[in-house]
Each structure stands twice: as structure tokens, then as C-alpha cells.
Amino acid sequence: SQVAAGEVVERPASVVKELMENSLDAGAREVRVETQRGGAALLRIIDDGCGMSREDALLSLERHATSKLRDKDGLVRISTLGFRGEAVPSIASVSRFRLTTREKGAAAGTEILVDGGKLNEVREAGCPVGTVVEVRNLFYNIPARRKFLKSEATEAAHIDHEVRVHALACPEVRFILQKDGRPVFDLPGTGDRRLRIADLFGRELLQSMREIPAASRNGVSVGGYLLPAREARRSRRGQAVFLNGRPVEDAVIWRSLAEGFRGALEVGRHPVAWLWLEMDPELVDVNVHPAKREVRFHRPADLRAIIVAQVAEALREVAPVVLPEVEESVEVPEAMAAAASALPA
């Protein structure tokens, strides 16, 4: 179990990524992430998704039992963020783990305590609908892995990045991040991707942001936003690409974005862009990387053609993106606040 956990759980941010994806697969509309000491001391992910029954909660701790695939043919049309069923048992095997969950309509929820992969206690619990996963003392039972963690600030920065990336991937979901008891951000759910980008990166970007016109061709749909060539950066950290709601990294997409600028980029510079792609799941393999960061396309030429064309079209536009007026203050949902306050610090 610990060997397998090493492939899934590289650092605290890996735990946050896997558990947020489970929350999103469960239909959550709000996801709250709380951390202490860069995630090494505590990670807590709270969602208002569908929750689990007692039987399913116990089953989630069995490796591959919750793979979300109903048959082997499902591997060629994966539509969920998680699908292997490795994350929860892997995380529980290298931490002091607490799972609290309740289904809608259930009279009581279920709380499960696991210590380094050993099931300690299962009991009824009063809790709102949804799931709370608490991970303490990550890698406490694998000192060699724990000592390779970076500084608290570095690990916290990786967690921040993961939450921001998933908040961009699913702008309709509210994301809340709290670090060492202090709020970092509270992003309201929105149907307008421009609002999510502005909330995360600042409204000043909107003065130069250009919309990538939505288009569909050969089973591929593309849309998003970019900044002109003068805003290009020395790294690809300014690029966010989402495929069927999944954050991905792919050389075909990176090259296509650059090609769309048609030589306007300086050598060593990379465009800033937020790109949302929709594709028939049978046209892409997302099962080629342990952490699911990389994908393989069956018809990369079709993908390249539509990205290059739409990026070039966006750069021909002259009107900047205009952001609608929105209220500044956002209240934390009562159910999530109650779930957070009911748990031990």
C-alpha cells in the first residue's frame, strides 16, 4: 500500500488534488480546503456533494473498489476526474485519516478513523450532507518520504496552485481556501469564466484579455481567453488548459497555442492563455500518467488545427473583454461553515 501511495501521493498538494476531484465527481457545488503547516500537519477537504452510505464509506478504503468504472470498456470513455479508486486508500495508508460523510435523506452520517492504513473505528456521526476528509501528519509512518518535503511555504504554494487550477476548471463551483486558520480566498460559483479569471488574477488583465471564439470541429470544442504577445512570459505557468473539466498538461496544446500567435512571440516566451476543451472521451486517453496530469490524443492533428485557428482569430479581435458588475462580498455557505466548526482543530 505504501509503495502504491508513493505513485499517487507525492506531496500534500497531491492529496488536495485527489480529494477535490472526488468532491467534484460527487457533484459538489462548494469545496472548502483547510491546511496547516503546508499541509504536512493537517489537510481538510469539505464538500456538499452526494455523500456516502456507511457501506460505501467503508468500501472507499478498499483499493480499486471505488474505481468509478463499471466495466473494462469504461477505460476508453472516462468521464470522471477520478477513476482508478487508488486515492483514498493510498492517502489513508500514509496518514492519520478521518472520513465523515452523510447521504441526503440519511438520519445519521458515518465517521471512519484510520491510522496508517489500519482501520481503528467506525461510528455514526451527526454531520451535514456531503463529505469531510481530514488528513493529519502526512507520511508520519514513512520518515524517508516526510523528510523530502520542501519548506512549509513551498508546500503551501503547491496547494494554492492546485486549488486555483481546479477553481478555474470548474468556475460554477465555489472554492474556499484557508491556510493556518486564515482565509486565502473565497471564490463564488459563477457561470462566467471571466469572473473566475478576474477573481484569481486581477481585473486589470481584462484591459488586454481577448476571447478565443468558441468553435467545434471533428468532435473537438474549444473556447477561452488569452493575452496578446506583449504579455508573454518566460515559463508556461501562465497557461491553464482544461479538457472535459480536467486540468491537463500536453505538448500538442502548448505548441498549438504558440503557433496561433504566428511568429509574434519572442524566442523563449510563452503565451498566457486559459483554454477549455471538450472532446469525446473516446478520442483521448487520460490513463497514461500516475497523477493523471498528462493525456494522449488519438487525433492530435484535429486538435492542433482548431486551436491554431481560434487563437489566430482571437488575436485579430480589437475589443477587450468586458467584465459585468458583481457584488464584492461573499458569505461562506452555512452548511460548510457548520461542518468546519464541528470538527476538531
Side-chain angles (χ1 to χ4, degrees), residues 72 97 170 193:
K72 60 182 176 59
F97 180 94
C170 302
R193 292 167 177 168

Side-chain angles (χ1 to χ4, degrees), residues 84-275:
R84 299 190 190 115
E86 296 175 298
V88 173
S90 293
I91 295 165
S93 72
V94 292
S95 69
R96 303 190 192 279
F97 180 94
R98 181 195 303 264
L99 170 68
T100 308
T101 186
R102 181 168 75 89
E103 288 183 305
K104 184 177 181 180
T110 302
E111 183 178 60
I112 301 177
L113 305 180
V114 183
D115 193 344
K118 179 182 178 182
L119 182 63
N120 279 351
E121 189 172 0
V122 183
R123 61 196 179 200
E124 285 192 354
C127 57
V129 173
T131 301
V132 180
V133 178
E134 183 179 285
V135 177
R136 292 183 179 271
N137 302 328
L138 187 65
F139 298 136
Y140 82 96
N141 53 346
I142 312 180
R145 290 292 305 275
R146 191 175 179 92
K147 75 178 183 180
F148 278 103
L149 293 179
K150 304 300 183 182
S151 68
E152 290 181 15
T154 298
E155 297 298 344
H158 282 284
I159 293 172
D160 184 282
H161 174 70
E162 284 294 345
V163 179
R164 289 173 183 268
V165 166
H166 283 79
L168 279 168
C170 302
E172 69 280 3
V173 177
R174 181 192 298 267
F175 281 84
I176 302 166
L177 177 61
Q178 181 175 302
K179 172 186 171 185
D180 296 321
R182 300 187 303 274
V184 178
F185 55 71
D186 180 355
L187 304 173
T190 175
D192 192 333
R193 292 167 177 168
R194 298 169 298 170
L195 291 176
R196 185 53 55 90
I197 294 172
D199 285 343
L200 286 170
F201 300 101
R203 299 195 173 199
E204 62 276 4
L205 286 181
L206 298 171
Q207 300 301 317
S208 53
M209 185 186 294
R210 300 290 180 266
E211 182 172 6
I212 299 173
S216 297
R217 190 182 309 157
N218 297 327
V220 181
S221 297
V222 61
Y225 301 90
L226 55 75
L227 298 183
R230 65 177 180 276
E231 304 287 350
R233 301 179 183 176
R234 294 186 181 278
S235 74
R236 292 193 177 93
R237 294 284 287 185
Q239 296 178 12
V241 181
F242 313 102
L243 174 64
N244 296 344
R246 180 192 307 279
V248 296
E249 300 174 0
D250 182 77
V252 172
I253 298 173
W254 291 337
R255 288 195 297 267
S256 301
L257 278 170
E259 286 180 43
F261 279 75
R262 303 190 185 282
L265 295 171
E266 296 180 15
V267 176
R269 293 280 181 170
H270 303 278
V272 177
W274 300 268
L275 195 63

